[in-house]
Amino acid sequence: MLARNLMLSSLLVLVFSLAASPGLAQSPAPLGRTLEWTVEINAPISKVWEMWTTEEGIKTWMTPVAEVDLRVGGTIRTNYNPSGTIGDEGTIVHRILSLEPGRMISMRTEKSPAGFPHARAIEQAWGITYFDPIDEHRTRVRLVSAGWGSGPEWDAAETFFQAGNEWTLNKLKALFPEDEKRAAQTPPVESQSQAKETLARVRRLVGGEWIAQRQSPEGAVFRVRNVCTNGPDGQSVITRGWLGGDEGMFEHASTQIWREPGSGEVRFQNINEQGHIARGTIVSAGDETIIWHWHARTDNGPGRHYRVTMTFTGPDAYDMKIEHIEEDGSFSTMIEMPFTRVESSPEAFHRPAPERADH
């Protein structure tokens, strides 16, 4: 029963990442170390903020008793005892230090519930919760606990909160199970090290010219030519692409690829000759394959989702497959072509189409 009460009593404390260890002085701790926890929630940022900062939202998943005064200097007060009341010995009081509505809230715990093992230490640390939109349907929640010191007591507190915060965030995540249709349109989230490897694979495209050609049963020829160069920082990649056939080639699109500051994920933006904009994320699927999760937008409609798979078959060759993601989440293949890197492509890949000869 004691272990259960400690877990319940610590839940809101865990959520706001406010922890330290007993027996420390009551003066503010130095900046010290920080601890972080991150989770991806399958809900828009407005909904996640609501679940985190309103009485109704908190009672849905966190605690049966809550009282919220959402302002700088205000408090969030909770009680995990269904029969308890705000103000009794089981009440937890968090003081709001700062907030940016819908994006960030920071707090310090002023009162912990009776019997909480780290009660005196909570005043030594403070917590910040960040809410970042991944897209219109998903939110990244990042908890930061600051002011951590070193030593056996801190280590014991860290062990306690590492397990508790993971449990808490998974409980919130479970409220919003992933929609199968949306899952097909949603790239996996890579770690910083995974994203670095993904960008390194993308950078294999830099240098020379990539060409592909195929002929239809009726004899029509379709050609593609892509050129990939370093971006100005020497790490990002810029591409230009041309399409055409025997009638000539026209410039089709240009793409920028980079690692997003903060998250570190590999992202891209593409604009084509019609002014259509596509954005998305690139992830790895093994050592030789990268997948572009491609969302194309125009002024008409909500846009269309595609999956572009590139599998390297050698240092100067890759196979490409473009699939459209249908409304039911299924994939329909649009085109599959092998590409080869050459130092300089044949004249047919450079000849401009007549109507675009002045471009």
Side-chain angles (χ1 to χ4, degrees):
M1 179 64 72
L2 176 60
R4 176 178 180 273
N5 287 340
L6 290 178
M7 176 60 76
L8 290 177
S9 298
S10 66
L11 182 54
L12 187 57
V13 178
L14 296 173
V15 167
F16 291 111
S17 303
L18 301 175
S21 67
L24 301 178
Q26 295 304 304
S27 58
L31 291 180
R33 296 184 297 127
T34 60
L35 303 179
E36 294 191 16
W37 296 264
T38 303
V39 69
E40 312 288 344
I41 306 296
N42 297 309
I45 194 168
S46 59
K47 185 63 176 178
V48 179
W49 177 262
E50 174 188 341
M51 301 301 288
W52 211 279
T53 61
T54 69
E55 293 179 12
E56 295 77 11
I58 290 172
K59 291 176 183 178
T60 298
W61 68 284
M62 191 185 297
T63 175
V65 182
E67 180 183 275
V68 175
D69 179 13
L70 191 64
R71 60 184 175 84
V72 174
T75 60
I76 293 181
R77 303 197 295 171
T78 61
N79 194 316
Y80 287 92
N81 182 354
S83 302
T85 59
I86 295 298
D88 68 18
E89 66 176 10
T91 300
I92 305 171
V93 180
H94 300 282
R95 181 69 61 182
I96 300 172
L97 305 177
S98 63
L99 63 87
E100 178 184 354
R103 301 303 295 266
M104 180 278 292
I105 186 168
S106 66
M107 298 190 191
R108 186 187 296 276
T109 300
E110 290 188 345
K111 177 187 177 299
S112 60
F116 182 64
H118 305 295
R120 286 189 299 168
I122 292 176
E123 295 180 7
Q124 302 296 309
W126 62 98
I128 312 100
T129 307
Y130 299 94
F131 305 82
D132 296 310
I134 300 172
D135 56 36
E136 58 185 329
H137 302 294
R138 296 182 302 151
T139 303
R140 179 181 293 107
V141 177
R142 183 165 67 97
L143 309 182
V144 179
S145 181
W148 281 71
S150 301
E153 292 176 311
W154 290 96
D155 293 342
E158 181 175 347
T159 299
F160 180 86
F161 282 95
Q162 288 285 11
N165 274 4
E166 182 178 352
W167 181 83
T168 299
L169 292 176
N170 285 335
K171 185 176 181 182
L172 175 61
K173 184 174 183 177
L175 288 180
F176 304 98
E178 192 166 29
D179 179 85
E180 292 185 5
K181 172 185 172 183
R182 193 160 63 240
Q185 303 172 355
T186 302
V189 177
E190 294 190 315
S191 67
Q192 293 271 353
S193 60
Q194 290 172 327
K196 288 181 180 179
E197 294 175 356
T198 293
L199 185 59
R201 294 181 182 110
V202 173
R203 288 186 50 76
R204 293 167 65 175
L205 298 169
V206 173
E209 301 181 14
W210 293 91
I211 61 173
Q213 177 176 303
R214 72 176 185 180
Q215 189 171 11
S216 71
E218 294 76 23
V221 175
F222 175 64
R223 296 187 178 97
V224 184
R225 170 176 165 248
N226 293 320
V227 176
C228 302
T229 60
N230 288 316
D233 59 352
Q235 293 298 313
S236 58
V237 176
I238 298 175
T239 78
R240 293 177 67 189
W242 292 260
L243 302 178
D246 285 338
E247 72 283 2
M249 305 288 288
F250 63 91
E251 187 166 7
H252 168 59
S254 180
T255 305
Q256 292 177 312
I257 305 161
W258 69 93
R259 285 192 67 206
E260 183 72 10
S263 70
E265 62 189 349
V266 180
R267 297 194 60 81
F268 70 90
Q269 177 169 287
N270 172 283
I271 182 169
N272 70 11
E273 80 282 4
Q274 300 179 55
H276 298 172
I277 303 295
R279 298 185 177 94
T281 304
I282 305 175
V283 298
S284 292
D287 293 339
E288 303 299 329
T289 300
I290 56 176
I291 298 177
W292 306 54
H293 292 267
W294 192 287
H295 184 205
R297 297 293 301 271
T298 69
D299 287 335
N300 301 315
R304 305 188 73 185
H305 290 268
Y306 302 88
R307 182 171 67 180
V308 180
T309 303
M310 300 172 62
T311 300
F312 291 94
T313 56
D316 298 311
Y318 69 82
D319 292 334
M320 183 191 71
K321 178 166 68 172
I322 301 177
E323 300 167 287
H324 178 241
I325 304 176
E326 306 293 345
E327 285 297 316
D328 62 0
S330 62
F331 297 88
S332 60
T333 299
M334 299 174 61
I335 189 172
E336 293 184 80
M337 294 187 75
F339 280 74
T340 303
R341 187 190 338 239
V342 296
E343 192 67 31
S344 181
S345 54
E347 189 274 337
F349 286 84
H350 292 263
R351 185 172 62 249
E355 65 273 18
R356 298 176 181 268
D358 59 335
H359 284 198

